[in-house]
Amino acid sequence: EVQLVESGGGLVQPGGSLRLSCAASGFTFSSYWMSWVRQAPGKGLEWVANIKQDGSEKYYVDSVKGRFTISRDNAKNSLYLQMNSLRAEDTAVYYCARDCETPTIYLDVWGKGTTVTVSS
Amino acid sequence: DIQMTQSPSSLSASVGDRVTITCRASQSISSYLNWYQQKPGKAPKLLIYAASSLQSGVPSRFSGSGSGTDFTLTISSLQPEDFATYYCQQSYSTPHYTFGPGTKVDIK
């Protein structure tokens, strides 16, 4: 079964750091771009970042550039999101998702999400 | 940046109704448009990709159409399990993606 399982969420103070993980199974992880998407409480979906199969290309939404770092370990079938200098507006459920590129690009597999709360 | 809008923002419908949701892009995105369904407390689920292709396992009552800037998601006969929020998403500006604000479908 194709599966993504996020972990690492929690309560953190403003200015703090957190590292999210996403464990992939059931597919060849190293063959896919991967994304992080977040959803603030009561709000819509926001794409946060994605990373190429070999980790050589990484892209971010403007609001997290310089604070968040996406990475992956293909040997461990794992995706990561290092979040620094966290702000209250980063409070959200964070989902990892698989980018499928045929014939166009879409997010075809999603994890259940992990909740990040930034509050003092 | 490509902006996405959806209309309506919410609608009330009855089981068996035909429902249409519209998504508009701020510039042409060809057919790089996807639709997702999200139920409360759950992860989004892909319904339609490339504007009109039905994702495997998704009921045929769901369909998508459009190209360029204007797109629609149609549910031909609304079922109880279809009450949810629906999001469009453009991937034309890959690797940067943008979601629409969502359309909530609830029970009349």
Side-chain angles (χ1 to χ4, degrees):
Chain A
E1 179 191 5
V2 174
Q3 195 171 11
L4 297 170
V5 179
E6 302 93 338
S7 60
L11 174 64
V12 60
Q13 292 187 339
S17 298
L18 212 54
R19 188 196 196 206
L20 306 184
S21 299
C22 172
S25 60
F27 65 99
T28 305
F29 179 72
S30 59
S31 296
Y32 291 87
W33 281 74
M34 296 293 296
S35 285
W36 287 99
V37 175
R38 68 183 178 183
Q39 186 170 36
K43 302 298 184 182
L45 301 170
E46 180 183 41
W47 169 80
V48 174
N50 57 9
I51 184 169
K52 193 177 180 179
Q53 290 91 333
D54 61 359
S56 62
E57 296 182 34
K58 305 174 184 181
Y59 299 92
Y60 303 90
V61 69
D62 285 349
S63 59
V64 308
K65 281 180 184 175
R67 301 188 300 120
F68 289 12
T69 301
I70 189 172
S71 63
R72 64 192 297 162
D73 185 336
N74 288 340
K76 294 183 178 180
N77 291 333
S78 292
L79 177 71
Y80 306 101
L81 187 67
Q82 177 67 44
M83 303 185 296
N84 298 331
S85 302
L86 282 161
R87 306 167 180 167
E89 54 265 35
D90 296 318
T91 294
V93 177
Y94 285 74
Y95 298 99
C96 68
R98 186 177 80 172
D99 293 38
C100 194
E101 297 181 89
T102 308
T104 60
I105 301 167
Y106 47 92
L107 304 174
D108 69 333
V109 180
W110 295 66
K112 292 183 177 180
T114 188
T115 301
V116 173
T117 303
V118 184
S119 175
S120 55
Chain B
D1 291 1
I2 299 175
Q3 308 301 318
M4 307 299 294
T5 58
Q6 288 183 234
S7 60
S9 56
S10 65
L11 66 90
S12 296
S14 301
V15 172
D17 283 354
R18 182 181 182 89
V19 170
T20 299
I21 298 169
T22 297
C23 176
R24 178 165 291 175
S26 59
Q27 66 183 72
S28 177
I29 58 171
S30 185
S31 296
Y32 286 75
L33 191 283
N34 310 310
W35 289 98
Y36 301 85
Q37 176 194 65
Q38 187 181 34
K39 297 180 180 179
K42 301 295 186 181
K45 172 187 174 184
L46 177 68
L47 297 177
I48 302 283
Y49 62 93
S52 60
S53 296
L54 193 67
Q55 172 69 348
S56 176
V58 174
S60 59
R61 62 181 179 272
F62 291 94
S63 64
S65 64
S67 66
T69 60
D70 295 320
F71 302 86
T72 59
L73 173 70
T74 300
I75 309 172
S76 60
S77 178
L78 196 67
Q79 297 302 300
E81 59 268 30
D82 300 337
F83 292 97
T85 300
Y86 294 85
Y87 294 93
C88 62
Q89 176 233 346
Q90 68 82 17
S91 57
Y92 181 81
S93 61
T94 184
H96 296 266
Y97 309 144
T98 315
F99 289 89
T103 295
K104 184 177 181 181
V105 177
D106 61 21
I107 302 172
K108 182 183 286 184

